[in-house]
Amino acid sequence: MDFADIAITFDKLESTSARLEMTDILAEFFSRCPAKELRSIIYLSQGKLHPDFYGVELGMADKLVLKAISLTSGKPDAVVEELWLKTGDPGQVAEQLITKKKQMTLFSEPLTLDRVIKSLTLIETAEGKDSQDRKMKHLASLLHDSGPLEARYLCRIVTGRMRVGASTMTILDALAITYATKESRPEIERAFNVTCDLGLVAETLATDGMEGISKIKVTVGDPVKVMLAERLPSIAEVVEKMGGECAIEYKYDGIRAQVHIGKDSVKIYSRRLEDLTPNFPDIAEAVKAHFKGTEAIIEGECVAVDSETGYMQSFQEVTHRRRKHGMSDAVKEIPVRIFMFDILYVDGKDMTNVPYLQRREAIKEWFDISDNVQMSTMRIVHSVQEAEDFFEDAVNARCEGVMAKSIADTSIYRAGSRGFLWIKYKKDYQESLTDSFDLTVVGAFYGMGKRAGKYGALLMATYDPETGRYGTVCKLGTGFDDAFLDNLPNLLDMYKSPEIPQSLDAKMQPDVWFQPAVVLEVVAAEITLSPNHTAGLGVLKEDTGIGIRFPRFTGRVRDDKGPDQCTTVQEIIEMYEMQSHDSDGLS
Ligand code: AMP
């Protein structure tokens, strides 16, 4: 397939924000795609050569890309640089300077998908002496045979700026329409949730149809989308919702780890599918050593403990393990324990369809327990009183609350879904009306007075997985210390966007826009209806969104969460309802 054909489709996707229109564009395009090329096209549409969890980024520096543009277009460095400063997007620079597709010459080669993938692979794997120069030349050679549109996307792909706006959910819709039926959509989504590999799902569907999809199972090495919990405002409601009886576990304040124990290796994935193995080499080794079988996937929470007292430390401590350098010192300085709470696979058996209590039994059966590899503390409760007593124990043990888990026969592990099979209840809920929010930064306002010239406040948004769009909920200007403010450009500037990001709806106009990427934890006094914000616009009241009042940054950058894993619109609406319900109770 010609890369130009693919670029035209990306452009069409980029010029609409309507999900149905995107689905139609994709479905029409997929119907023309050769099955064997579909996988690469899907990865490219997300700016990658591999599934998300692969961990290798193309990540060419902007300067290097500008050099390739200058070389191909024959424009002086200064012109290229000026345009880059103006647009902030090497894609737009390339599009404007590489004006039209050149005549085929002796030195031209057609720009096919195959050629693009081969060159991008060379860019990705170039190492050692002169590697930067080689990367630049591989890109220049592609640009030489590109038209403006192809150049736009090539430069966005290599610099990690590829965002055509079609969310995973939209791509799944289009795949179902093209290769199966709308009714098969949940089964296709299940296959994605247990492999996190959209390219694999698309290729399987295009090649073997739904029969192939039904054979996709949990596999060691492919991260599984994590199961998530709902929340309720009181322990009494949790117990009632669970039918008067449930399991209840400590909710540890650490980092979720999905540990894949293979025959020869161990990998730990975060909930956003990053490879955490380099950060927790001790945990990887210990979990494998405590396992009595050959292959398994377990989940647990990694928690830092005080090396002297053995007390559990806060989340902040364990995040120090995310530093890339000095890991051997960090392993000694910040001892970490894992509290295992689930098992998804063990020696040939997919455990995701097995009820909760049997999964728990399986952890006991297959793992030895020690100080640093433990099971989450759990009790079966039959009354609100028992649950409240357990909650107190959890808080005394320095946990952030409890996780109630259904023990019904239906209590399977629902990959990628948030539901009432698990319900969280945190001690924060007792102190304020609302839970904390994980929100993504989409804009910044320049400060005044002491903060002049710096980012002084941030525009924060939440995600709606049903529409694949972001909507704003607050302007955040409290809770930052000077060091954090000084560091904000380092954290945010690589996501600067010359205009409002395509996936965002906003009424406010900040000084600088950012692509949704960075997630911050925020607490707030109240959730209100707001005419200025766009999250959940029109859901509760016409032309009115949901806003949060008196937001304050807690100091936690949630780099374990991607922007599409931030608190969802639906959760905020639920919290709003919980809050009104609470105040009803008080009045
Ligand atoms: P939240 O991030 O507030 O939505 O809470 C869900 C997170 O709690 C999970 O992703 C886990 O990282 C964490 N967690 C801590 N203890 C447990 C537990 N016993 N069971 C399940 N999740 C837990």
Side-chain angles (χ1 to χ4, degrees):
M1 181 169 245
D2 256 355
F3 186 64
D5 210 359
I6 300 169
I8 290 171
T9 308
F10 288 166
D11 183 47
K12 282 191 200 155
L13 288 172
E14 212 182 312
S15 46
T16 175
S17 55
R19 180 165 172 183
L20 283 179
E21 206 177 316
M22 284 188 196
T23 313
D24 289 344
I25 296 168
L26 282 168
E28 187 280 324
F29 177 62
F30 289 159
S31 66
R32 294 185 284 117
C33 277
K36 66 177 182 18
E37 298 198 319
L38 193 57
R39 191 166 180 154
S40 301
I41 294 173
I42 297 270
Y43 296 146
L44 277 190
S45 73
Q46 312 202 313
K48 308 221 156 94
L49 294 178
H50 316 276
D52 266 351
F53 57 85
Y54 195 77
V56 179
E57 302 281 336
L58 278 154
M60 265 177 92
D62 285 0
K63 295 271 171 197
L64 207 56
V65 174
L66 298 182
K67 215 163 151 191
I69 298 173
S70 163
L71 191 73
T72 328
S73 65
K75 299 278 189 251
D77 288 351
V79 173
V80 179
E81 177 106 9
E82 195 189 325
L83 202 54
W84 176 63
L85 286 174
K86 211 161 101 195
T87 61
D89 171 14
Q92 280 192 41
V93 178
E95 182 174 12
Q96 290 183 34
L97 296 182
I98 295 178
T99 42
K100 63 176 180 359
K101 191 145 187 151
K102 292 153 220 68
Q103 293 285 318
M104 290 292 269
T105 66
L106 214 53
F107 306 104
S108 309
E109 270 180 67
L111 195 67
T112 58
L113 172 69
D114 199 38
R115 179 176 163 209
V116 168
I117 298 292
K118 279 196 182 118
S119 298
L120 293 181
T121 307
L122 290 171
I123 291 175
E124 185 182 81
T125 50
E127 270 182 16
K129 201 167 158 274
D130 304 332
S131 61
Q132 297 305 314
D133 195 48
R134 275 182 282 130
K135 284 181 187 208
M136 195 275 292
K137 286 185 178 141
H138 289 308
L139 178 63
S141 147
L142 291 178
L143 292 178
H144 176 265
D145 297 319
S146 295
L149 208 54
E150 296 100 292
R152 182 208 291 173
Y153 290 110
L154 286 172
C155 292
R156 286 196 181 155
I157 289 169
V158 293
T159 55
R161 282 188 176 79
M162 186 64 183
R163 280 165 203 99
V164 290
S167 68
T168 301
M169 292 302 132
T170 310
I171 297 178
L172 289 172
D173 288 347
L175 288 172
I177 292 171
T178 317
Y179 301 106
T181 56
K182 275 192 180 158
E183 290 65 46
S184 329
R185 171 68 169 69
E187 178 64 10
I188 300 171
E189 187 170 340
R190 181 208 62 86
F192 169 67
N193 285 339
V194 298
T195 57
C196 293
D197 188 341
L198 202 54
L200 169 78
V201 171
E203 187 181 72
T204 308
L205 193 56
T207 320
D208 300 319
M210 288 307 291
E211 200 185 326
I213 291 292
S214 67
K215 290 192 186 129
I216 291 185
K217 296 258 159 12
V218 174
T219 315
V220 173
D222 290 352
V224 179
K225 268 201 138 190
V226 296
M227 177 165 175
L228 295 165
E230 278 285 355
R231 56 164 77 66
L232 281 173
S234 71
I235 299 245
E237 279 168 82
V238 173
V239 175
E240 189 195 341
K241 183 84 187 172
M242 288 290 187
E245 183 187 56
C246 61
I248 184 160
E249 297 184 17
Y250 282 4
K251 183 174 189 308
Y252 300 90
D253 192 11
I255 290 184
R256 186 169 188 159
Q258 192 176 84
V259 189
H260 289 239
I261 312 171
K263 286 193 183 77
D264 311 308
S265 66
V266 187
K267 254 199 189 299
I268 303 184
Y269 291 108
S270 73
R271 58 189 274 175
R272 64 181 295 192
L273 317 182
E274 289 164 324
D275 185 359
L276 288 181
T277 329
N279 308 74
F280 296 103
D282 47 343
I283 293 293
E285 202 185 301
V287 173
K288 182 155 175 78
H290 286 64
F291 179 48
K292 301 177 200 162
T294 317
E295 286 191 315
I297 305 175
I298 61 114
E299 274 190 359
E301 191 84 349
C302 290
V303 186
V305 287
D306 186 294
S307 51
E308 280 171 16
T309 60
Y311 283 151
M312 283 193 262
Q313 307 276 84
S314 74
F315 171 81
Q316 242 85 9
E317 292 303 317
V318 73
T319 55
H320 293 312
R321 279 285 193 101
R322 296 175 70 89
R323 279 187 311 219
K324 297 277 179 279
H325 304 293
M327 195 42 69
S328 54
D329 289 345
V331 166
K332 275 194 231 117
E333 279 164 28
I334 311 160
V336 167
R337 289 182 181 160
I338 185 165
F339 294 90
M340 299 184 286
F341 57 74
D342 224 314
I343 185 161
L344 280 53
Y345 177 89
V346 65
D347 279 4
K349 187 159 172 30
D350 183 343
M351 298 296 288
T352 55
N353 286 322
V354 170
Y356 168 81
L357 285 174
Q358 288 179 38
R359 299 206 301 281
R360 213 158 151 107
E361 276 309 304
I363 308 180
K364 263 194 220 149
E365 183 189 327
W366 288 94
F367 285 85
D368 291 321
I369 300 300
S370 74
D371 248 9
N372 56 347
V373 180
Q374 303 196 22
M375 285 182 74
S376 57
T377 302
M378 184 275 267
R379 192 176 302 158
I380 307 278
V381 295
H382 308 88
S383 69
V384 176
Q385 189 57 52
E386 280 176 353
E388 273 173 354
D389 291 348
F390 186 79
F391 172 73
E392 256 191 69
D393 292 351
V395 173
N396 289 337
R398 304 179 174 218
C399 289
E400 55 172 359
V402 289
M403 273 283 192
K405 297 188 178 177
S406 164
I407 51 174
D409 291 347
T410 50
S411 60
I412 59 170
Y413 185 96
R414 278 192 189 280
S417 117
R418 184 185 300 280
F420 283 101
L421 286 177
W422 289 7
I423 308 174
K424 59 183 172 182
Y425 182 78
K426 296 199 212 174
K427 58 175 186 278
D428 301 356
Y429 300 0
Q430 298 184 316
E431 284 148 22
S432 72
L433 285 177
T434 62
D435 193 2
S436 59
F437 306 86
D438 297 319
L439 303 175
T440 186
V441 186
V442 291
F445 301 85
Y446 288 120
M448 302 211 269
K450 217 172 85 185
R451 292 185 187 173
K454 295 183 191 172
Y455 296 145
L458 303 175
L459 184 61
M460 306 300 293
T462 168
Y463 183 61
D464 183 348
E466 283 169 17
T467 59
R469 303 194 59 73
Y470 293 86
T472 70
V473 282
C474 67
K475 190 172 159 183
L476 175 68
T478 316
F480 305 127
D481 60 22
D482 287 346
F484 189 81
L485 281 176
D486 288 343
N487 193 42
L488 271 179
N490 290 335
L491 190 67
L492 295 169
D493 279 0
M494 71 183 98
Y495 305 109
K496 252 190 196 172
S497 170
E499 52 211 27
I500 179 168
Q502 198 217 354
S503 54
L504 173 71
D505 299 307
K507 291 186 183 174
M508 282 191 174
Q509 173 77 33
D511 296 313
V512 183
W513 291 110
F514 300 111
Q515 292 290 348
V518 173
V519 179
L520 304 182
E521 189 184 72
V522 173
V523 284
E526 198 187 358
I527 305 173
T528 53
L529 294 177
S530 163
N532 300 323
H533 290 291
T534 50
L537 193 69
V539 174
L540 295 176
K541 191 172 165 205
E542 203 180 324
D543 204 29
T544 303
I546 300 272
I548 60 176
R549 294 188 63 210
F550 307 117
R552 182 172 51 79
F553 175 50
T554 63
R556 277 188 188 187
V557 177
R558 293 297 308 246
D559 49 9
D560 59 325
K561 287 193 172 181
D564 55 353
Q565 288 162 330
C566 64
T567 310
T568 62
V569 175
Q570 289 76 12
E571 285 180 86
I572 298 191
I573 292 176
E574 272 171 29
M575 285 192 239
Y576 175 76
E577 281 161 357
M578 256 163 64
Q579 169 193 289
S580 346
H581 163 102
D582 255 25
S583 30
D584 287 353
L586 290 173
S587 60

